[in-house]
Amino acid sequence: MAEKERLDELTGTREDLASIKNEAFSTVESCRTQEDIEAARVKLLGKKGLITGIFKSISGAEAEEKPVIGEIGNLLRELINEGLQAKSETMAEEALVASLAENEVDVTLPGRKTALGHKHLISQVIDEIVSIFLGLGYRIETGPEVELDYYNFEALNTPVYHPARSLQDTFYIQREDPEHDNSNDILLRTHTSPVQVRVMEASSPPLYVISPGKAYRRDEIDATHAAMFFQVEGFAVDKGLNMGHLKGTLEVFVRKLFGKDRKVRFRPHFFPFTEPSAEVDVSCFACDSAGCSVCKGSGWLEILGCGMIDPNVLKYVGYDPDEFTGFAFGMGAERVAMMRYGIEDLRVLTENDLRFLRQF
Ligand code: PHE
């Protein structure tokens, strides 16, 4: 550095100034912290500092010495300034590196897994059932869980004396209005079939509808009964629909849900709102109809109730039963899930034990 060489040259003959120079440089060199640098700045460049001392000495010096001392002072001041500046920058850099090292992130470590939730088994089963019917051209409709007696029973051809209306089976809701008190005309729907009536009332055929939702019954809770459960209702109203269409539809459905090798059996049954009515069994997929614990030895598993919509129901919604016919079916989602996965107690579906839920 040119300034440094010039300074050394000038101080070569001035031992007093050479020692000031050496002291100044070693002071700069010994700085370890920003505070050291500030102290050095005061000591070397301050009003009472070494450099000021050099300039003050000019007045008492020999005339030819004056410019030499002045140049030494200037060079030294410049070099000290540069030295302190450089020191300060190096320190800041070292501090940054140290703090980065302290907060070091090891980017090669495997990430922490965030547990992602998923749909409940029942929702999965419902989605699957519904999507099969969406594939067949059905549309989704839903209805209220708090329902009128009219939709849950009366318009479904279920007369007042029908045992299904019993207080033992149905949750009735009391009106606040004392005029209607205890009239038992509001209830928690006992099945999803009222959606049939509501949709028929609000629109006209052709109708192909699938309707998932909750239903409620005053059942004693045990391994196969719950006070609240899920059903999936399906129905179609069109010109010329007959039992063959119902059977064909449900056979396609059962094979899509349980596998193409499943056999389907229709057993005569009774529902007030369908005529004729049937219950549908599927050949046991656990033993292929040989008889096992899943099907309790019968080789068959009951999966749903169905039938041709009773002409009386069509009349209730103002349809002409001579022009339109329809079929309907309803199944319990818990039942399907239990059959599918060999679950023996439906209470595990609502206990929210993650060890159970995570398996699906
Ligand atoms: N609603 C009937 C039940 O809950 C099932 C069903 C639906 C039967 C549609 C026939 C037609 O058991």
Side-chain angles (χ1 to χ4, degrees), residues 76 162 205 241 328:
L76 198 51
H162 194 279
L241 286 182

Side-chain angles (χ1 to χ4, degrees), residues 190-193 196 217 231 233-234 271 273-274 305-307 328-331:
T190 59
H191 53 177
T192 44
S193 298
Q196 291 181 37
R217 283 184 205 170
Q231 286 194 330
E233 188 87 8
F271 297 104
F273 37 91
T274 47
C306 66
F329 53 86
M331 70 196 91

Side-chain angles (χ1 to χ4, degrees), residues 142-169:
T142 53
E145 290 167 31
V146 177
E147 189 51 284
L148 291 169
D149 178 281
Y150 177 79
Y151 292 104
N152 195 79
F153 291 129
E154 195 179 333
L156 284 169
N157 201 35
T158 310
V160 213
Y161 50 80
H162 194 279
R165 287 200 181 201
S166 151
L167 289 170
Q168 264 125 55
D169 300 326

Side-chain angles (χ1 to χ4, degrees), residues 146-149 171-175 184-188:
V146 177
E147 189 51 284
L148 291 169
D149 178 281
F171 288 111
Y172 285 93
I173 289 175
Q174 235 154 28
R175 283 185 185 264
N184 280 353
D185 58 346
I186 305 184
L187 43 78
L188 293 181

Side-chain angles (χ1 to χ4, degrees), residues 15 35 55 82 92 132 143 148 164 171 173 186 210 224 237 239 247 263-264 270 296 305 319-320 337-338:
E15 237 172 74
E35 288 79 42
F55 285 120
E82 279 173 15
I132 292 173
L148 291 169
F171 288 111
I173 289 175
I186 305 184
I210 191 81
T224 54
V237 183
K239 286 184 175 154
K247 288 187 76 173
K263 286 184 278 298
V264 180
F270 174 80
K296 302 208 172 65
Y319 290 2
D320 177 0
M338 288 169 82

Side-chain angles (χ1 to χ4, degrees), residues 196-238:
Q196 291 181 37
V197 184
R198 286 185 172 274
V199 172
M200 285 194 272
E201 222 177 47
S203 42
S204 40
L207 293 173
Y208 292 85
V209 172
I210 191 81
S211 181
K214 292 189 196 108
Y216 302 82
R217 283 184 205 170
R218 286 177 60 138
D219 271 325
E220 209 65 61
I221 293 163
D222 63 23
T224 54
H225 294 87
M228 185 212 83
F229 51 97
F230 286 87
Q231 286 194 330
V232 183
E233 188 87 8
F235 67 96
V237 183
D238 206 339

